[in-house]
Amino acid sequence: MKNLKQFMLFLMIGSLVTLSGCSSSDDGGNGGNATEGTITAKVDGASFTSLEIASTATLVSATSTLILQGSDADGKGFLITINGYAGSGTYNIDGNAIGFSVAVYLEADVSNPANTQTWLAPYNTSVNGTISVSEETSDNVKGTFEFTGQNANDNSQKVISEGSFNLGKQTV
């Protein structure tokens, strides 16, 4: 689990560093509250919207894994992974070792990556949230999510609510 967490952290930091200077346009769209190409959520009540240029969905068909990620210009972002993805439906974020889903909220410190903080779900065997895929096409995926993540450094928690995504999807 620690290796998976570290991999996701490095993947998200790399995306944030690479794309933090980019801007995006607001094309509108449908998929909960998320405009086309973005992830939106409330993080402990504060609004988050990812940049379109820094947001994507990838379906890894060989492993039936759907990966959703998006970050903003401030170094905040989400990485959500559904292992055992089988199309539209609701997936629990829990400690089930078979077909489990993982959600990470990250606040990157680009100037000092060692200070980057992550809140991970699941952090125990309970259901810590859900991801619902409402619509999927060959090049797009839409849905909603909510979870409570825990920081392994200090055991603090963040409540992620009203999450939605409307992302361009690639299949590999």
Side-chain angles (χ1 to χ4, degrees):
M1 184 72 156
K2 184 174 181 169
N3 288 339
L4 176 63
K5 182 179 173 185
Q6 288 175 338
F7 171 74
M8 287 190 284
L9 173 64
F10 291 126
L11 180 65
M12 195 62 141
I13 289 173
S15 296
L16 291 170
V17 169
T18 302
L19 300 171
S20 64
C22 301
S23 64
S24 70
S25 62
D26 220 6
D27 293 331
N30 190 353
N33 294 327
T35 58
E36 187 174 341
T38 67
I39 295 175
T40 64
K42 299 266 185 183
V43 179
D44 282 344
S47 294
F48 168 89
T49 300
S50 68
L51 297 169
E52 183 178 347
I53 190 77
S55 304
T56 188
T58 303
L59 176 60
V60 183
S61 57
T63 59
S64 300
T65 302
L66 180 65
I67 303 166
L68 312 169
Q69 71 178 50
S71 58
D72 67 9
D74 295 325
K76 297 175 183 172
F78 286 95
L79 179 62
I80 300 170
T81 304
I82 304 172
N83 294 295
Y85 180 70
S88 296
T90 299
Y91 299 85
N92 286 335
I93 301 170
D94 62 17
N96 180 1
I98 299 173
F100 69 97
S101 299
V102 176
V104 177
Y105 170 68
L106 177 119
E107 292 180 355
D109 184 338
V110 182
S111 62
N112 186 0
N115 286 337
T116 294
Q117 299 296 309
T118 59
W119 288 265
L120 174 69
Y123 53 88
N124 58 27
T125 57
S126 300
V127 175
N128 300 130
T130 58
I131 308 158
S132 296
V133 177
S134 58
E135 185 179 328
E136 180 185 11
T137 65
S138 62
D139 62 355
N140 188 268
V141 63
K142 298 176 185 177
T144 59
F145 63 95
E146 56 84 23
F147 67 93
T148 299
Q150 183 168 302
N151 186 317
N153 294 331
D154 61 8
N155 292 327
S156 65
Q157 294 186 344
K158 291 216 182 256
V159 175
I160 311 303
S161 60
E162 300 178 39
S164 61
F165 53 91
N166 181 353
L167 298 172
K169 181 187 85 175
Q170 63 179 341
T171 301
V172 295

